[in-house]
mmCIF file of all heavy atoms in Angstrom:
data_model
loop_
_atom_site.group_PDB
_atom_site.id
_atom_site.type_symbol
_atom_site.label_atom_id
_atom_site.label_comp_id
_atom_site.label_asym_id
_atom_site.label_seq_id
_atom_site.Cartn_x
_atom_site.Cartn_y
_atom_site.Cartn_z
ATOM 1 N N LEU A 1 -67.763 15.376 70.370
ATOM 2 C CA LEU A 1 -68.284 15.781 69.148
ATOM 3 C C LEU A 1 -69.484 16.868 69.287
ATOM 4 O O LEU A 1 -70.248 16.637 70.255
ATOM 5 C CB LEU A 1 -68.873 14.666 68.293
ATOM 6 C CG LEU A 1 -67.888 13.561 67.892
ATOM 7 C CD1 LEU A 1 -68.688 12.524 67.236
ATOM 8 C CD2 LEU A 1 -66.837 14.201 66.914
ATOM 9 N N PRO A 2 -69.648 17.940 68.550
ATOM 10 C CA PRO A 2 -70.611 18.828 68.796
ATOM 11 C C PRO A 2 -72.034 18.282 68.314
ATOM 12 O O PRO A 2 -72.106 17.508 67.364
ATOM 13 C CB PRO A 2 -70.257 20.097 67.931
ATOM 14 C CG PRO A 2 -69.400 19.489 66.789
ATOM 15 C CD PRO A 2 -68.745 18.318 67.515
ATOM 16 N N LEU A 3 -73.002 18.679 68.995
ATOM 17 C CA LEU A 3 -74.383 18.333 68.592
ATOM 18 C C LEU A 3 -75.135 19.494 67.806
ATOM 19 O O LEU A 3 -74.569 20.645 67.954
ATOM 20 C CB LEU A 3 -75.307 17.956 69.832
ATOM 21 C CG LEU A 3 -74.914 16.703 70.512
ATOM 22 C CD1 LEU A 3 -75.871 16.397 71.752
ATOM 23 C CD2 LEU A 3 -74.888 15.501 69.551
ATOM 24 N N ALA A 4 -76.059 19.128 67.035
ATOM 25 C CA ALA A 4 -76.832 20.269 66.450
ATOM 26 C C ALA A 4 -77.594 21.254 67.379
ATOM 27 O O ALA A 4 -77.628 22.497 67.031
ATOM 28 C CB ALA A 4 -77.853 19.654 65.509
ATOM 29 N N GLN A 5 -77.917 20.714 68.569
ATOM 30 C CA GLN A 5 -78.424 21.602 69.548
ATOM 31 C C GLN A 5 -77.406 22.349 70.171
ATOM 32 O O GLN A 5 -76.435 21.780 70.716
ATOM 33 C CB GLN A 5 -79.254 20.703 70.657
ATOM 34 C CG GLN A 5 -79.896 21.502 71.620
ATOM 35 C CD GLN A 5 -80.728 20.623 72.528
ATOM 36 O OE1 GLN A 5 -80.947 19.359 72.374
ATOM 37 N NE2 GLN A 5 -81.198 21.179 73.629
ATOM 38 N N GLU A 6 -77.561 23.694 70.166
ATOM 39 C CA GLU A 6 -76.620 24.616 70.755
ATOM 40 C C GLU A 6 -76.425 24.315 72.237
ATOM 41 O O GLU A 6 -77.362 24.089 73.011
ATOM 42 C CB GLU A 6 -77.218 26.046 70.588
ATOM 43 C CG GLU A 6 -76.123 27.138 71.058
ATOM 44 C CD GLU A 6 -74.985 27.197 70.070
ATOM 45 O OE1 GLU A 6 -75.098 26.863 68.901
ATOM 46 O OE2 GLU A 6 -73.800 27.612 70.528
ATOM 47 N N GLY A 7 -75.128 24.361 72.602
ATOM 48 C CA GLY A 7 -74.731 24.202 73.996
ATOM 49 C C GLY A 7 -74.466 22.808 74.579
ATOM 50 O O GLY A 7 -74.260 22.430 75.623
ATOM 51 N N TRP A 8 -74.682 21.810 73.442
ATOM 52 C CA TRP A 8 -74.618 20.346 73.849
ATOM 53 C C TRP A 8 -73.480 19.658 73.003
ATOM 54 O O TRP A 8 -73.140 20.083 71.998
ATOM 55 C CB TRP A 8 -75.898 19.626 73.679
ATOM 56 C CG TRP A 8 -76.923 19.913 74.739
ATOM 57 C CD1 TRP A 8 -77.654 21.093 74.964
ATOM 58 C CD2 TRP A 8 -77.307 18.975 75.862
ATOM 59 N NE1 TRP A 8 -78.487 20.992 76.013
ATOM 60 C CE2 TRP A 8 -78.264 19.739 76.574
ATOM 61 C CE3 TRP A 8 -76.917 17.843 76.219
ATOM 62 C CZ2 TRP A 8 -78.772 19.217 77.725
ATOM 63 C CZ3 TRP A 8 -77.422 17.135 77.366
ATOM 64 C CH2 TRP A 8 -78.339 17.971 78.025
ATOM 65 N N CYS A 9 -72.952 18.597 73.614
ATOM 66 C CA CYS A 9 -71.975 17.814 72.813
ATOM 67 C C CYS A 9 -72.152 16.380 72.992
ATOM 68 O O CYS A 9 -73.006 15.956 73.987
ATOM 69 C CB CYS A 9 -70.626 18.228 73.233
ATOM 70 S SG CYS A 9 -70.133 18.011 75.025
ATOM 71 N N SER A 10 -71.539 15.558 72.312
ATOM 72 C CA SER A 10 -71.628 14.053 72.452
ATOM 73 C C SER A 10 -70.229 13.522 72.892
ATOM 74 O O SER A 10 -69.218 14.025 72.229
ATOM 75 C CB SER A 10 -72.060 13.379 71.100
ATOM 76 O OG SER A 10 -71.990 11.998 71.253
ATOM 77 N N ILE A 11 -70.192 12.774 73.871
ATOM 78 C CA ILE A 11 -68.973 12.029 74.289
ATOM 79 C C ILE A 11 -68.857 10.653 74.102
ATOM 80 O O ILE A 11 -69.888 9.979 74.325
ATOM 81 C CB ILE A 11 -68.833 12.402 75.781
ATOM 82 C CG1 ILE A 11 -68.782 13.898 76.175
ATOM 83 C CG2 ILE A 11 -67.370 11.789 76.307
ATOM 84 C CD1 ILE A 11 -68.435 14.191 77.559
ATOM 85 N N HIS A 12 -67.780 10.108 73.566
ATOM 86 C CA HIS A 12 -67.594 8.710 73.292
ATOM 87 C C HIS A 12 -66.413 8.326 74.107
ATOM 88 O O HIS A 12 -65.293 8.991 74.104
ATOM 89 C CB HIS A 12 -67.373 8.452 71.880
ATOM 90 C CG HIS A 12 -68.486 8.791 71.008
ATOM 91 N ND1 HIS A 12 -68.857 8.206 69.794
ATOM 92 C CD2 HIS A 12 -69.417 9.965 70.978
ATOM 93 C CE1 HIS A 12 -69.815 8.733 69.153
ATOM 94 N NE2 HIS A 12 -70.173 9.896 69.890
ATOM 95 N N ALA A 13 -66.563 7.231 74.804
ATOM 96 C CA ALA A 13 -65.293 6.686 75.609
ATOM 97 C C ALA A 13 -65.471 5.160 75.720
ATOM 98 O O ALA A 13 -66.458 4.634 75.631
ATOM 99 C CB ALA A 13 -65.352 7.411 77.035
ATOM 100 N N VAL A 14 -64.337 4.571 76.119
ATOM 101 C CA VAL A 14 -64.194 3.204 76.489
ATOM 102 C C VAL A 14 -64.022 3.035 77.974
ATOM 103 O O VAL A 14 -63.132 3.641 78.551
ATOM 104 C CB VAL A 14 -63.022 2.404 75.748
ATOM 105 C CG1 VAL A 14 -62.957 1.050 76.175
ATOM 106 C CG2 VAL A 14 -63.314 2.571 74.061
ATOM 107 N N ILE A 15 -64.903 2.137 78.740
ATOM 108 C CA ILE A 15 -64.825 2.060 80.101
ATOM 109 C C ILE A 15 -64.769 0.510 80.419
ATOM 110 O O ILE A 15 -65.457 -0.232 79.760
ATOM 111 C CB ILE A 15 -66.019 2.684 80.844
ATOM 112 C CG1 ILE A 15 -66.317 4.155 80.186
ATOM 113 C CG2 ILE A 15 -65.768 2.706 82.392
ATOM 114 C CD1 ILE A 15 -67.566 4.752 80.849
ATOM 115 N N SER A 16 -64.034 0.258 81.446
ATOM 116 C CA SER A 16 -64.001 -1.177 81.840
ATOM 117 C C SER A 16 -65.397 -1.463 82.582
ATOM 118 O O SER A 16 -65.982 -0.571 83.235
ATOM 119 C CB SER A 16 -62.847 -1.491 82.782
ATOM 120 O OG SER A 16 -63.130 -0.763 84.117
ATOM 121 N N GLU A 17 -65.787 -2.737 82.450
ATOM 122 C CA GLU A 17 -67.076 -3.188 83.114
ATOM 123 C C GLU A 17 -67.021 -2.790 84.681
ATOM 124 O O GLU A 17 -68.084 -2.586 85.143
ATOM 125 C CB GLU A 17 -67.363 -4.554 82.811
ATOM 126 C CG GLU A 17 -67.803 -4.888 81.493
ATOM 127 C CD GLU A 17 -68.102 -6.406 81.160
ATOM 128 O OE1 GLU A 17 -67.457 -7.138 81.733
ATOM 129 O OE2 GLU A 17 -69.109 -6.631 80.442
ATOM 130 N N GLU A 18 -65.855 -3.059 85.215
ATOM 131 C CA GLU A 18 -65.837 -2.806 86.726
ATOM 132 C C GLU A 18 -66.096 -1.463 87.059
ATOM 133 O O GLU A 18 -66.650 -1.227 88.213
ATOM 134 C CB GLU A 18 -64.331 -3.274 87.195
ATOM 135 C CG GLU A 18 -64.011 -4.639 86.988
ATOM 136 C CD GLU A 18 -62.542 -5.007 87.386
ATOM 137 O OE1 GLU A 18 -61.794 -4.016 87.699
ATOM 138 O OE2 GLU A 18 -62.198 -6.224 87.431
ATOM 139 N N GLN A 19 -65.727 -0.441 86.300
ATOM 140 C CA GLN A 19 -66.018 0.966 86.521
ATOM 141 C C GLN A 19 -67.363 1.479 85.935
ATOM 142 O O GLN A 19 -67.701 2.514 86.315
ATOM 143 C CB GLN A 19 -64.837 1.794 86.043
ATOM 144 C CG GLN A 19 -63.510 1.454 86.648
ATOM 145 C CD GLN A 19 -62.364 2.257 85.987
ATOM 146 O OE1 GLN A 19 -62.402 2.593 84.692
ATOM 147 N NE2 GLN A 19 -61.326 2.595 86.640
ATOM 148 N N LEU A 20 -67.895 0.770 85.237
ATOM 149 C CA LEU A 20 -69.026 1.215 84.285
ATOM 150 C C LEU A 20 -70.111 1.936 85.178
ATOM 151 O O LEU A 20 -70.441 3.203 84.753
ATOM 152 C CB LEU A 20 -69.560 0.119 83.529
ATOM 153 C CG LEU A 20 -70.789 0.436 82.568
ATOM 154 C CD1 LEU A 20 -70.353 1.489 81.450
ATOM 155 C CD2 LEU A 20 -71.456 -0.694 81.949
ATOM 156 N N TRP A 21 -70.763 1.247 86.016
ATOM 157 C CA TRP A 21 -71.944 1.823 86.680
ATOM 158 C C TRP A 21 -71.562 3.044 87.585
ATOM 159 O O TRP A 21 -72.335 3.958 87.634
ATOM 160 C CB TRP A 21 -72.721 0.775 87.377
ATOM 161 C CG TRP A 21 -73.292 -0.189 86.427
ATOM 162 C CD1 TRP A 21 -72.901 -1.428 86.135
ATOM 163 C CD2 TRP A 21 -74.329 0.027 85.489
ATOM 164 N NE1 TRP A 21 -73.698 -2.007 85.201
ATOM 165 C CE2 TRP A 21 -74.558 -1.060 84.722
ATOM 166 C CE3 TRP A 21 -75.038 1.129 85.216
ATOM 167 C CZ2 TRP A 21 -75.505 -1.222 83.678
ATOM 168 C CZ3 TRP A 21 -76.001 1.123 84.263
ATOM 169 C CH2 TRP A 21 -76.282 -0.011 83.487
ATOM 170 N N GLU A 22 -70.443 2.904 88.179
ATOM 171 C CA GLU A 22 -69.918 4.062 89.072
ATOM 172 C C GLU A 22 -69.773 5.273 88.332
ATOM 173 O O GLU A 22 -70.170 6.319 88.708
ATOM 174 C CB GLU A 22 -68.693 3.637 89.853
ATOM 175 C CG GLU A 22 -68.179 4.635 90.830
ATOM 176 C CD GLU A 22 -67.187 5.551 90.157
ATOM 177 O OE1 GLU A 22 -66.486 5.091 89.204
ATOM 178 O OE2 GLU A 22 -66.894 6.593 90.795
ATOM 179 N N ARG A 23 -69.183 5.131 87.203
ATOM 180 C CA ARG A 23 -68.860 6.331 86.226
ATOM 181 C C ARG A 23 -70.226 6.777 85.733
ATOM 182 O O ARG A 23 -70.335 8.147 85.527
ATOM 183 C CB ARG A 23 -67.928 5.887 85.108
ATOM 184 C CG ARG A 23 -66.450 5.392 85.526
ATOM 185 C CD ARG A 23 -65.703 6.484 86.197
ATOM 186 N NE ARG A 23 -64.561 6.021 86.755
ATOM 187 C CZ ARG A 23 -63.251 6.076 86.180
ATOM 188 N NH1 ARG A 23 -63.253 6.648 84.961
ATOM 189 N NH2 ARG A 23 -62.254 5.638 86.719
ATOM 190 N N ILE A 24 -71.155 5.860 85.272
ATOM 191 C CA ILE A 24 -72.390 6.377 84.781
ATOM 192 C C ILE A 24 -73.177 7.274 85.840
ATOM 193 O O ILE A 24 -73.816 8.253 85.441
ATOM 194 C CB ILE A 24 -73.150 5.245 84.161
ATOM 195 C CG1 ILE A 24 -72.564 4.700 82.960
ATOM 196 C CG2 ILE A 24 -74.726 5.580 83.995
ATOM 197 C CD1 ILE A 24 -73.210 3.577 82.317
ATOM 198 N N GLU A 25 -73.132 6.815 87.074
ATOM 199 C CA GLU A 25 -73.906 7.503 88.069
ATOM 200 C C GLU A 25 -73.345 8.930 88.232
ATOM 201 O O GLU A 25 -73.987 9.898 88.361
ATOM 202 C CB GLU A 25 -73.746 6.759 89.328
ATOM 203 C CG GLU A 25 -74.705 5.471 89.349
ATOM 204 C CD GLU A 25 -74.363 4.521 90.524
ATOM 205 O OE1 GLU A 25 -73.434 4.865 91.330
ATOM 206 O OE2 GLU A 25 -74.947 3.442 90.598
ATOM 207 N N ARG A 26 -71.958 9.017 88.214
ATOM 208 C CA ARG A 26 -71.313 10.385 88.197
ATOM 209 C C ARG A 26 -71.592 11.255 87.065
ATOM 210 O O ARG A 26 -71.955 12.449 87.165
ATOM 211 C CB ARG A 26 -69.808 10.071 88.432
ATOM 212 C CG ARG A 26 -69.499 9.430 89.790
ATOM 213 C CD ARG A 26 -68.063 9.073 89.887
ATOM 214 N NE ARG A 26 -67.052 10.130 89.742
ATOM 215 C CZ ARG A 26 -65.680 10.163 89.526
ATOM 216 N NH1 ARG A 26 -65.187 9.036 89.395
ATOM 217 N NH2 ARG A 26 -65.026 11.223 89.410
ATOM 218 N N LEU A 27 -71.702 10.529 85.961
ATOM 219 C CA LEU A 27 -72.041 11.348 84.740
ATOM 220 C C LEU A 27 -73.532 11.885 84.671
ATOM 221 O O LEU A 27 -73.655 13.142 84.282
ATOM 222 C CB LEU A 27 -71.770 10.525 83.457
ATOM 223 C CG LEU A 27 -70.180 10.228 83.223
ATOM 224 C CD1 LEU A 27 -70.040 8.984 82.367
ATOM 225 C CD2 LEU A 27 -69.510 11.535 82.577
ATOM 226 N N LYS A 28 -74.341 11.081 85.254
ATOM 227 C CA LYS A 28 -75.735 11.502 85.174
ATOM 228 C C LYS A 28 -75.947 12.592 86.218
ATOM 229 O O LYS A 28 -76.664 13.580 86.005
ATOM 230 C CB LYS A 28 -76.603 10.237 85.636
ATOM 231 C CG LYS A 28 -76.906 9.382 84.405
ATOM 232 C CD LYS A 28 -77.779 8.169 84.984
ATOM 233 C CE LYS A 28 -79.121 8.617 85.435
ATOM 234 N NZ LYS A 28 -80.013 9.185 84.279
ATOM 235 N N ALA A 29 -75.075 12.556 87.339
ATOM 236 C CA ALA A 29 -75.137 13.697 88.335
ATOM 237 C C ALA A 29 -74.757 15.047 87.777
ATOM 238 O O ALA A 29 -75.169 16.075 88.335
ATOM 239 C CB ALA A 29 -74.285 13.276 89.453
ATOM 240 N N ILE A 30 -73.937 15.009 86.643
ATOM 241 C CA ILE A 30 -73.452 16.246 86.075
ATOM 242 C C ILE A 30 -74.289 16.649 84.807
ATOM 243 O O ILE A 30 -73.978 17.490 84.078
ATOM 244 C CB ILE A 30 -71.977 16.345 85.764
ATOM 245 C CG1 ILE A 30 -71.657 15.258 84.813
ATOM 246 C CG2 ILE A 30 -71.276 16.236 87.086
ATOM 247 C CD1 ILE A 30 -70.147 15.466 84.302
ATOM 248 N N GLY A 31 -75.405 15.910 84.436
ATOM 249 C CA GLY A 31 -76.359 16.248 83.478
ATOM 250 C C GLY A 31 -76.213 15.320 82.255
ATOM 251 O O GLY A 31 -76.804 15.789 81.189
ATOM 252 N N ALA A 32 -75.511 14.215 82.178
ATOM 253 C CA ALA A 32 -75.349 13.464 81.031
ATOM 254 C C ALA A 32 -76.755 12.809 80.680
ATOM 255 O O ALA A 32 -77.457 12.425 81.563
ATOM 256 C CB ALA A 32 -74.310 12.277 81.182
ATOM 257 N N GLU A 33 -77.086 12.735 79.393
ATOM 258 C CA GLU A 33 -78.435 12.211 79.020
ATOM 259 C C GLU A 33 -78.181 11.221 77.806
ATOM 260 O O GLU A 33 -77.156 11.271 77.119
ATOM 261 C CB GLU A 33 -79.335 13.291 78.538
ATOM 262 C CG GLU A 33 -79.655 14.336 79.690
ATOM 263 C CD GLU A 33 -80.593 15.393 79.049
ATOM 264 O OE1 GLU A 33 -80.858 15.319 77.845
ATOM 265 O OE2 GLU A 33 -81.067 16.220 79.810
ATOM 266 N N GLY A 34 -79.127 10.446 77.556
ATOM 267 C CA GLY A 34 -79.175 9.588 76.343
ATOM 268 C C GLY A 34 -77.926 8.569 76.335
ATOM 269 O O GLY A 34 -77.195 8.439 75.370
ATOM 270 N N ILE A 35 -77.538 8.100 77.508
ATOM 271 C CA ILE A 35 -76.396 7.267 77.675
ATOM 272 C C ILE A 35 -76.648 5.825 76.958
ATOM 273 O O ILE A 35 -77.559 5.144 77.308
ATOM 274 C CB ILE A 35 -76.072 7.118 79.055
ATOM 275 C CG1 ILE A 35 -75.778 8.465 79.691
ATOM 276 C CG2 ILE A 35 -74.665 6.133 79.256
ATOM 277 C CD1 ILE A 35 -75.549 8.348 81.098
ATOM 278 N N LEU A 36 -75.740 5.599 76.125
ATOM 279 C CA LEU A 36 -75.733 4.231 75.438
ATOM 280 C C LEU A 36 -74.496 3.445 75.796
ATOM 281 O O LEU A 36 -73.384 4.011 75.737
ATOM 282 C CB LEU A 36 -75.799 4.324 73.811
ATOM 283 C CG LEU A 36 -76.919 5.200 73.271
ATOM 284 C CD1 LEU A 36 -76.851 5.177 71.685
ATOM 285 C CD2 LEU A 36 -78.179 4.356 73.606
ATOM 286 N N VAL A 37 -74.640 2.147 76.040
ATOM 287 C CA VAL A 37 -73.559 1.306 76.459
ATOM 288 C C VAL A 37 -73.559 0.148 75.402
ATOM 289 O O VAL A 37 -74.529 -0.651 75.310
ATOM 290 C CB VAL A 37 -73.631 0.708 77.837
ATOM 291 C CG1 VAL A 37 -72.457 -0.256 78.175
ATOM 292 C CG2 VAL A 37 -73.800 1.745 78.946
ATOM 293 N N LEU A 38 -72.471 0.017 74.661
ATOM 294 C CA LEU A 38 -72.370 -0.965 73.576
ATOM 295 C C LEU A 38 -71.154 -1.942 73.881
ATOM 296 O O LEU A 38 -70.168 -1.534 74.502
ATOM 297 C CB LEU A 38 -72.058 -0.227 72.221
ATOM 298 C CG LEU A 38 -73.034 0.912 71.896
ATOM 299 C CD1 LEU A 38 -72.574 1.585 70.541
ATOM 300 C CD2 LEU A 38 -74.382 0.378 71.732
ATOM 301 N N ALA A 39 -71.449 -3.145 73.284
ATOM 302 C CA ALA A 39 -70.366 -4.215 73.434
ATOM 303 C C ALA A 39 -69.173 -3.793 72.585
ATOM 304 O O ALA A 39 -69.356 -3.143 71.543
ATOM 305 C CB ALA A 39 -70.882 -5.513 73.001
ATOM 306 N N LEU A 40 -68.011 -4.111 73.072
ATOM 307 C CA LEU A 40 -66.882 -3.717 72.297
ATOM 308 C C LEU A 40 -66.207 -5.042 71.789
ATOM 309 O O LEU A 40 -65.761 -5.860 72.459
ATOM 310 C CB LEU A 40 -65.828 -3.038 73.193
ATOM 311 C CG LEU A 40 -64.548 -2.458 72.587
ATOM 312 C CD1 LEU A 40 -64.959 -1.300 71.638
ATOM 313 C CD2 LEU A 40 -63.703 -1.815 73.657
ATOM 314 N N GLU A 41 -66.242 -5.160 70.415
ATOM 315 C CA GLU A 41 -65.694 -6.391 69.867
ATOM 316 C C GLU A 41 -64.292 -6.515 69.842
ATOM 317 O O GLU A 41 -63.652 -7.539 70.225
ATOM 318 C CB GLU A 41 -66.216 -6.563 68.409
ATOM 319 C CG GLU A 41 -65.919 -7.894 67.784
ATOM 320 C CD GLU A 41 -66.661 -8.193 66.422
ATOM 321 O OE1 GLU A 41 -67.704 -7.550 66.262
ATOM 322 O OE2 GLU A 41 -66.187 -8.768 65.466
ATOM 323 N N ASN A 42 -63.507 -5.480 69.345
ATOM 324 C CA ASN A 42 -62.053 -5.481 69.267
ATOM 325 C C ASN A 42 -61.550 -4.032 69.617
ATOM 326 O O ASN A 42 -62.161 -3.091 69.354
ATOM 327 C CB ASN A 42 -61.588 -5.839 67.900
ATOM 328 C CG ASN A 42 -61.612 -7.308 67.628
ATOM 329 O OD1 ASN A 42 -61.467 -8.187 68.464
ATOM 330 N ND2 ASN A 42 -62.000 -7.736 66.370
ATOM 331 N N MET A 43 -60.399 -3.985 70.289
ATOM 332 C CA MET A 43 -59.741 -2.708 70.545
ATOM 333 C C MET A 43 -58.382 -2.794 70.042
ATOM 334 O O MET A 43 -57.547 -3.621 70.657
ATOM 335 C CB MET A 43 -59.816 -2.473 72.168
ATOM 336 C CG MET A 43 -59.284 -1.182 72.467
ATOM 337 S SD MET A 43 -59.754 -0.752 74.231
ATOM 338 C CE MET A 43 -58.837 -1.942 75.027
ATOM 339 N N ILE A 44 -58.073 -2.033 69.027
ATOM 340 C CA ILE A 44 -56.763 -2.049 68.452
ATOM 341 C C ILE A 44 -55.967 -0.778 68.824
ATOM 342 O O ILE A 44 -56.507 0.355 68.554
ATOM 343 C CB ILE A 44 -56.895 -2.158 66.871
ATOM 344 C CG1 ILE A 44 -57.555 -3.513 66.437
ATOM 345 C CG2 ILE A 44 -55.449 -2.090 66.297
ATOM 346 C CD1 ILE A 44 -57.801 -3.503 65.078
#
């Protein structure tokens, strides 16, 4: 999704807990900011 700030976007994704921290470290390395991790109640 586009952000109001020019040149930035928001990404939403579902990740397994096993991969979570390894993926977050890689994302931070390419400039990801404001990372939120939320519990997933149901996935249909």
Side-chain angles (χ1 to χ4, degrees):
L1 301 172
L3 293 180
Q5 183 176 349
E6 186 68 27
W8 284 76
C9 61
S10 174
I11 299 181
H12 301 214
V14 175
I15 311 177
S16 70
E17 285 183 322
E18 293 177 352
Q19 299 176 327
L20 180 65
W21 294 108
E22 181 267 338
R23 298 295 174 97
I24 285 177
E25 289 168 1
R26 292 170 62 188
L27 289 160
K28 283 181 63 66
I30 63 170
E33 298 179 356
I35 301 172
L36 298 180
V37 180
L38 306 177
L40 190 63
E41 185 170 335
N42 284 319
M43 185 167 65
I44 299 171

